[in-house]
Amino acid sequence: MIIVLKNGHEDIIDEIKSRFTETNEVFVHNNRVAIQGVSEDDLNAEEKNAIDLIIDNVPAAVQGSRLFHPEDTVVVTPHSQIGGDNFTMMAGPCSVESAEHVMKMAKVAKSGGATILRGGAFKPRTSPYSFQGLGEDGLKFLRAAADAYDMDVLTEVMDQDHVAMVEQYTDIFQIGARNMQNFSLLKAVGKTQTPVMLKRGMSATIDDILNAAEYIAAGGNHNIIITERGIRTFDNKYTRNTLDVGAVPVLQKLTHYPVIVDPSHAAGHTEFVTPEALAGVAVGASGLVVEIHDDPAHAFSDGAQALKPDEYRAMAQQAFAIRKVITTPVEEKSEVKL
Ligand code: PEP
Ligand code: MN
């Protein structure tokens, strides 16, 4: 149950907390109090009098719910604001390959308007014999490249034992699709205050990802970014996954966390990355995370889906233009120049 208090009755919050905290989970956001496992009958007359509205049928992922927290969450990093009215471009190679290469890719990422440099140093590969990433050296190269271009770092953490080490180098943890329900890892990043970009598992439902996000919030970390990166459907003959564009507005209705789109892992092939990226923007995503490479044929991982520098800049230009169109009030649209 979520109760919304009448203005000026916030003093009742402490009383409710002290009555229920021992036996129930109690969460407070402004004048809203969420109490798990309690109904209206359990409230006393004074509490009932302070209530403006009672919301039943609250999802288990209550802290992430718009019912509990109606305003958009804006995740703030040194060079970026993600969510709310902002649109954020994140780009970089799938893997950090060398100090020189990631530096070159940072320059490209920046040239398309990215404020966040992505790159994996710990790679979740389908085969144990594929390149597994440069580890901590890769993180150092990525940090140096991002710093050189005044960008933030986004990189995957795969193991709960690596959280403290990866945190030294990154501004945003990435939790990959394969680890979306690695609850020990979710709890570990939930104990930090470093933003977490949580990717939708390839067979995860909307409620699955919202509950995964709740594991992070339950630890006290509310700096969460949700990423739609394509799910497995019945046909992966021509694309790697199916970008669930419809999930974006659904998630935005259900949760206050920013929702972004990764067209690269959805499409799996360069030629489909730009159209899927633009579809993500058109449907209202708060940002994109895109893989780029100057020599995709020799990329250490995911070369088949990398945008070359010129392709990336063209995509980014169109993405920002579409964002402008969809955020311009209808009556002013005739004045928008593409
Ligand atoms: C990645 O971002 O390179 C990656 C491995 O993504 P995902 O977890 O979505 O497959
Ligand atoms: Mn990749």
CSV table of all heavy atoms in Angstrom, one decimal, residues 157-166 173 175 179 182-189 191:
chain,number,residue,atom,x,y,z
A,157,VAL,N,30.7,-4.3,-15.0
A,157,VAL,CA,31.3,-5.1,-13.9
A,157,VAL,C,30.6,-6.4,-13.9
A,157,VAL,O,29.3,-6.5,-14.0
A,157,VAL,CB,31.1,-4.3,-12.5
A,157,VAL,CG1,29.7,-4.0,-12.2
A,157,VAL,CG2,31.8,-5.1,-11.4
A,158,MET,N,31.4,-7.5,-13.9
A,158,MET,CA,30.8,-8.8,-14.1
A,158,MET,C,30.7,-9.6,-12.8
A,158,MET,O,30.0,-10.7,-12.7
A,158,MET,CB,31.6,-9.6,-15.1
A,158,MET,CG,31.3,-9.3,-16.5
A,158,MET,SD,32.3,-10.2,-17.7
A,158,MET,CE,31.9,-11.9,-17.2
A,159,ASP,N,31.5,-9.2,-11.8
A,159,ASP,CA,31.7,-10.0,-10.6
A,159,ASP,C,31.6,-9.2,-9.4
A,159,ASP,O,32.2,-8.1,-9.3
A,159,ASP,CB,33.2,-10.6,-10.8
A,159,ASP,CG,33.5,-11.6,-9.7
A,159,ASP,OD1,33.1,-11.4,-8.6
A,159,ASP,OD2,34.2,-12.6,-10.1
A,160,GLN,N,30.9,-9.7,-8.4
A,160,GLN,CA,30.7,-8.8,-7.2
A,160,GLN,C,32.0,-8.5,-6.5
A,160,GLN,O,32.2,-7.5,-5.9
A,160,GLN,CB,29.8,-9.6,-6.2
A,160,GLN,CG,30.3,-10.8,-5.6
A,160,GLN,CD,29.3,-11.7,-4.9
A,160,GLN,OE1,28.6,-12.5,-5.6
A,160,GLN,NE2,29.1,-11.4,-3.7
A,161,ASP,N,33.0,-9.4,-6.7
A,161,ASP,CA,34.3,-9.1,-6.0
A,161,ASP,C,35.1,-8.0,-6.7
A,161,ASP,O,36.1,-7.6,-6.2
A,161,ASP,CB,35.2,-10.4,-6.0
A,161,ASP,CG,34.6,-11.5,-5.2
A,161,ASP,OD1,33.8,-11.2,-4.3
A,161,ASP,OD2,34.8,-12.7,-5.5
A,162,HIS,N,34.6,-7.6,-7.9
A,162,HIS,CA,35.3,-6.6,-8.7
A,162,HIS,C,34.7,-5.2,-8.5
A,162,HIS,O,35.2,-4.2,-9.0
A,162,HIS,CB,35.3,-6.9,-10.2
A,162,HIS,CG,36.2,-8.0,-10.5
A,162,HIS,ND1,36.2,-8.6,-11.8
A,162,HIS,CD2,37.2,-8.6,-9.9
A,162,HIS,CE1,37.1,-9.6,-11.8
A,162,HIS,NE2,37.7,-9.6,-10.7
A,163,VAL,N,33.6,-5.1,-7.7
A,163,VAL,CA,32.8,-3.9,-7.7
A,163,VAL,C,33.7,-2.7,-7.2
A,163,VAL,O,33.8,-1.6,-7.8
A,163,VAL,CB,31.6,-4.0,-6.8
A,163,VAL,CG1,30.9,-2.7,-6.5
A,163,VAL,CG2,30.5,-4.9,-7.6
A,164,ALA,N,34.4,-2.9,-6.1
A,164,ALA,CA,35.2,-1.9,-5.5
A,164,ALA,C,36.4,-1.4,-6.4
A,164,ALA,O,36.6,-0.2,-6.6
A,164,ALA,CB,35.8,-2.3,-4.1
A,165,MET,N,37.0,-2.4,-7.1
A,165,MET,CA,38.1,-2.1,-8.0
A,165,MET,C,37.5,-1.3,-9.2
A,165,MET,O,38.1,-0.3,-9.6
A,165,MET,CB,38.8,-3.4,-8.4
A,165,MET,CG,40.0,-3.2,-9.3
A,165,MET,SD,39.5,-3.3,-11.0
A,165,MET,CE,39.1,-5.0,-11.2
A,166,VAL,N,36.5,-1.8,-9.8
A,166,VAL,CA,35.9,-1.2,-11.0
A,166,VAL,C,35.4,0.3,-10.7
A,166,VAL,O,35.6,1.2,-11.5
A,166,VAL,CB,34.8,-2.0,-11.7
A,166,VAL,CG1,34.1,-1.3,-12.8
A,166,VAL,CG2,35.3,-3.4,-12.2
A,173,PHE,N,28.5,2.0,-13.5
A,173,PHE,CA,28.6,0.5,-13.7
A,173,PHE,C,27.6,0.1,-14.8
A,173,PHE,O,26.5,0.5,-14.8
A,173,PHE,CB,28.2,-0.2,-12.4
A,173,PHE,CG,29.1,-0.1,-11.3
A,173,PHE,CD1,28.7,0.4,-10.0
A,173,PHE,CD2,30.4,-0.6,-11.3
A,173,PHE,CE1,29.5,0.5,-8.9
A,173,PHE,CE2,31.3,-0.5,-10.2
A,173,PHE,CZ,30.8,0.0,-9.0
A,175,ILE,N,25.7,-3.3,-15.8
A,175,ILE,CA,25.4,-4.7,-15.5
A,175,ILE,C,24.8,-5.3,-16.8
A,175,ILE,O,23.8,-4.8,-17.4
A,175,ILE,CB,24.3,-4.8,-14.4
A,175,ILE,CG1,24.7,-4.1,-13.1
A,175,ILE,CG2,23.9,-6.3,-14.2
A,175,ILE,CD1,25.7,-4.8,-12.3
A,179,ASN,N,23.9,-10.8,-16.8
A,179,ASN,CA,24.0,-10.7,-15.3
A,179,ASN,C,22.8,-10.0,-14.7
A,179,ASN,O,22.8,-9.6,-13.5
A,179,ASN,CB,25.3,-10.0,-14.9
A,179,ASN,CG,26.4,-10.9,-14.7
A,179,ASN,OD1,26.2,-12.0,-14.1
A,179,ASN,ND2,27.6,-10.6,-15.1
A,182,ASN,N,21.7,-11.5,-11.7
A,182,ASN,CA,22.8,-12.0,-10.7
A,182,ASN,C,22.6,-11.2,-9.5
A,182,ASN,O,23.1,-10.1,-9.3
A,182,ASN,CB,24.2,-11.7,-11.4
A,182,ASN,CG,25.3,-12.1,-10.5
A,182,ASN,OD1,25.2,-12.3,-9.3
A,182,ASN,ND2,26.5,-12.3,-11.1
A,183,PHE,N,21.8,-11.7,-8.6
A,183,PHE,CA,21.3,-10.9,-7.4
A,183,PHE,C,22.5,-10.5,-6.5
A,183,PHE,O,22.4,-9.5,-5.9
A,183,PHE,CB,20.2,-11.7,-6.7
A,183,PHE,CG,19.0,-11.9,-7.6
A,183,PHE,CD1,18.6,-13.2,-8.0
A,183,PHE,CD2,18.3,-10.8,-8.1
A,183,PHE,CE1,17.5,-13.4,-8.8
A,183,PHE,CE2,17.2,-11.0,-9.0
A,183,PHE,CZ,16.8,-12.3,-9.3
A,184,SER,N,23.5,-11.4,-6.4
A,184,SER,CA,24.6,-11.0,-5.5
A,184,SER,C,25.3,-9.7,-6.1
A,184,SER,O,25.7,-8.8,-5.4
A,184,SER,CB,25.7,-12.1,-5.4
A,184,SER,OG,25.0,-13.3,-5.1
A,185,LEU,N,25.4,-9.7,-7.4
A,185,LEU,CA,26.1,-8.6,-8.1
A,185,LEU,C,25.2,-7.3,-8.0
A,185,LEU,O,25.7,-6.2,-7.7
A,185,LEU,CB,26.3,-8.9,-9.6
A,185,LEU,CG,27.0,-7.8,-10.4
A,185,LEU,CD1,28.4,-7.5,-9.9
A,185,LEU,CD2,27.1,-8.3,-11.9
A,186,LEU,N,23.9,-7.5,-8.1
A,186,LEU,CA,22.9,-6.4,-8.0
A,186,LEU,C,23.0,-5.8,-6.6
A,186,LEU,O,23.0,-4.6,-6.4
A,186,LEU,CB,21.5,-6.8,-8.3
A,186,LEU,CG,21.3,-7.3,-9.7
A,186,LEU,CD1,19.8,-7.8,-9.9
A,186,LEU,CD2,21.5,-6.2,-10.8
A,187,LYS,N,23.1,-6.7,-5.6
A,187,LYS,CA,23.2,-6.2,-4.2
A,187,LYS,C,24.5,-5.5,-4.0
A,187,LYS,O,24.5,-4.5,-3.2
A,187,LYS,CB,23.1,-7.4,-3.2
A,187,LYS,CG,21.7,-8.0,-3.1
A,187,LYS,CD,21.7,-9.1,-2.1
A,187,LYS,CE,20.3,-9.8,-2.0
A,187,LYS,NZ,20.3,-11.0,-1.2
A,188,ALA,N,25.6,-6.0,-4.6
A,188,ALA,CA,26.9,-5.4,-4.4
A,188,ALA,C,26.9,-3.9,-5.0
A,188,ALA,O,27.4,-3.0,-4.3
A,188,ALA,CB,28.0,-6.2,-5.0
A,189,VAL,N,26.4,-3.7,-6.2
A,189,VAL,CA,26.4,-2.4,-6.7
A,189,VAL,C,25.3,-1.5,-6.0
A,189,VAL,O,25.5,-0.3,-5.9
A,189,VAL,CB,26.2,-2.3,-8.2
A,189,VAL,CG1,27.3,-3.0,-9.0
A,189,VAL,CG2,24.9,-2.9,-8.7
A,191,LYS,N,25.0,-1.4,-2.9
A,191,LYS,CA,25.6,-0.8,-1.7
A,191,LYS,C,26.4,0.4,-2.0
A,191,LYS,O,26.9,1.1,-1.1
A,191,LYS,CB,26.4,-1.9,-1.0
A,191,LYS,CG,25.6,-2.9,-0.3
A,191,LYS,CD,26.5,-3.8,0.5
A,191,LYS,CE,25.8,-5.1,0.9
A,191,LYS,NZ,26.6,-6.3,0.6
